[in-house]
């Protein structure tokens, strides 16, 4: 079976309206994606974040009636002045394929630090010399953010690999797919607490923990459900604004001498985020990867 995909780039204010227009016209599915390589990390509660330039893609079955419909939609979108369209609509024919194979061709075993690997289920580290000491997190791409391929997640995974975790309790705030909490447990942490406001993220974290054999050592909460706790290690990969707002809460949950790492911070935001933690955290040098930063230190 084949499909027709109609894609169009629109400005943020018009994205949801154009998506609804295509759904009402009979699209089988409509997706919104980044049209300008603009990262979108953990949103705040109740937010529906979008990029400033959005690619709206609608899928139709490749029947003659659908081809005529798509042609009419292209005409309408190309001539509607309120559409916020930044380029001409594009129509592609998509042949049926094994979609699991598609992502397996691009999502490969990846090492973070010395021992830690993130691998698709059923795959091993591709460095034979590393297998003996490899610590593997098995993870497939899914609904929730976090496979290790974004620079901020990579920074966090590398930091975890280099942090003593044996017997420690770890807090992963803004857990997404649960990759950081699961990695900490696989690296020897005794217990982890994963927190996220998105129910899909909590479900993904639970499923991924079960698949990695660490579910019995992982507690999962929404932000308003977290009990009073003291942990040895806190890691949060969200955004600069929430990291600043959460600083008192994250620091208060950390035992004296405990380790902290926060990421999701752009290079130009580093000074502001460091200032929010400097009073009670002895800060280490900032780690950088591409345009992103990880800020770490020890609770005073």
């Amino acid at each position: 079976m084949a499909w027709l995909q109609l894609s169009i780039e629109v400005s943020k204010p018009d994205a949801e309206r154009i998506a609804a227009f295509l759904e009402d016209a009979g699209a089988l599915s409509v997706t919104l994606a980044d049209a300008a390589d603009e990262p979108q990390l953990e949103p705040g509660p109740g937010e529906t974040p979008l990029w400033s330039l959005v690619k709206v893609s609608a899928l139709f079955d490749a029947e003659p009636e659908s081809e005529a419909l798509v042609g009419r939609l292209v005409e309408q979108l190309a001539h509607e002045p309120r559409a916020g369209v930044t380029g001409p609509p594009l129509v592609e024919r998509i042949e049926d394929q094994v979609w699991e194979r598609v992502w397996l061709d691009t999502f490969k075993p990846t090492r973070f630090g010395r021992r830690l690997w993130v691998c698709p289920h059923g795959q091993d580290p591709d460095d034979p010399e590393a297998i003996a000491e490899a610590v593997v997190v098995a993870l497939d791409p899914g609904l929730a953010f976090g496979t290790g391929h974004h620079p901020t997640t990579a920074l966090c995974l590398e930091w975890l690999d280099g942090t003593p975790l044996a017997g420690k309790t770890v807090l992963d705030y803004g857990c997404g797919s649960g990759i950081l909490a699961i990695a900490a447990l696989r690296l020897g942490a005794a217990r982890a607490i994963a927190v996220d406001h998105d129910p899909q993220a909590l479900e993904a974290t639970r499923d991924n923990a079960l698949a990695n054999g660490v579910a019995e050592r992982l507690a999962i909460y929404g932000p308003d459900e977290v009990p009073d706790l003291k942990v040895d290690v806190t890691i949060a990969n969200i955004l600069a604004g929430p990291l600043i707002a959460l600083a008192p809460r994250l620091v208060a949950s950390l035992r004296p001498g405990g380790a902290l790492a926060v990421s999701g911070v752009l290079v130009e935001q580093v000074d502001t985020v460091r200032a929010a933690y400097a009073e009670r955290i002895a800060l280490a040098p900032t780690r950088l990867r591409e345009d992103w930063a990880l800020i770490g230190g020890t609770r005073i």
Side-chain angles (χ1 to χ4, degrees), residues 12-296:
K12 177 178 178 178
D14 291 282
E16 292 188 359
R17 182 175 62 82
I18 296 300
F21 167 73
L22 292 170
E23 286 179 354
D24 292 343
L28 300 174
S29 68
V30 178
T31 58
L32 307 181
D34 180 12
D37 194 25
E38 179 184 349
Q40 188 66 250
L41 296 183
E42 182 74 13
E47 294 180 352
T48 305
L50 288 176
W51 306 271
S52 55
L53 186 62
V54 182
K55 181 180 179 180
V56 182
S57 299
L59 207 61
F60 301 82
D61 55 34
E63 301 294 335
E65 298 82 358
S66 296
E67 292 179 5
L69 171 61
V70 168
R72 292 194 297 271
L73 293 174
V74 167
E75 285 291 316
Q76 289 179 263
L77 290 170
H79 294 93
E80 199 215 329
R82 293 192 307 116
V85 175
T86 61
L90 173 66
V91 179
E92 302 172 274
R93 183 181 177 90
I94 300 177
E95 300 298 332
D96 200 6
Q97 53 191 311
V98 181
W99 294 104
E100 288 185 3
R101 184 73 257 162
V102 172
W103 70 253
L104 281 171
D105 288 342
T106 57
F107 181 33
K108 301 294 186 183
T110 307
R111 176 158 54 183
F112 300 92
R114 184 176 63 87
R115 296 178 298 154
L116 182 61
W117 288 78
V118 177
C119 302
H121 284 282
Q123 294 194 33
D124 295 321
D126 52 16
D127 180 354
E129 296 181 1
I131 291 177
E133 65 172 0
V135 175
V136 176
V137 174
L139 193 73
D140 295 339
L143 290 173
F145 174 83
T147 59
H149 287 69
H150 191 276
T152 62
T153 313
L155 282 166
C156 291
L157 290 167
E158 289 170 356
W159 183 86
L160 284 170
D161 181 74
T163 299
L165 296 174
K168 301 290 181 66
T169 298
V170 177
L171 171 63
D172 174 9
Y173 204 100
C175 59
S177 66
I179 185 172
L180 301 181
I182 293 166
L185 292 167
R186 297 285 293 164
L187 285 164
R191 181 170 174 256
I193 298 98
V195 180
D196 205 293
H197 66 81
D198 185 346
Q200 283 187 325
L202 300 181
E203 180 180 352
T205 295
R206 187 173 293 107
D207 291 345
N208 288 329
L210 285 166
N212 281 274
V214 298
E216 72 282 356
R217 294 185 284 138
L218 179 64
I220 301 172
Y221 299 103
D224 297 329
E225 304 165 345
V226 183
D228 290 336
L229 48 83
K230 292 291 183 182
V231 300
D232 305 298
V233 177
T234 292
I235 191 162
N237 182 28
I238 40 182
L239 290 173
L243 287 173
I244 293 169
L246 287 166
R249 182 174 186 175
L250 296 181
V251 172
S253 68
L254 192 59
R255 293 188 179 99
L260 172 86
V262 296
S263 192
V265 180
L266 289 165
V267 171
E268 59 267 26
Q269 300 168 327
V270 165
D271 290 344
T272 306
V273 176
R274 284 179 70 93
Y277 290 85
E279 185 175 340
R280 300 177 68 185
I281 300 291
L283 294 169
T286 299
R287 302 186 186 194
L288 302 177
R289 192 180 185 108
E290 299 178 19
D291 295 326
W292 297 91
L294 178 144
I295 298 165

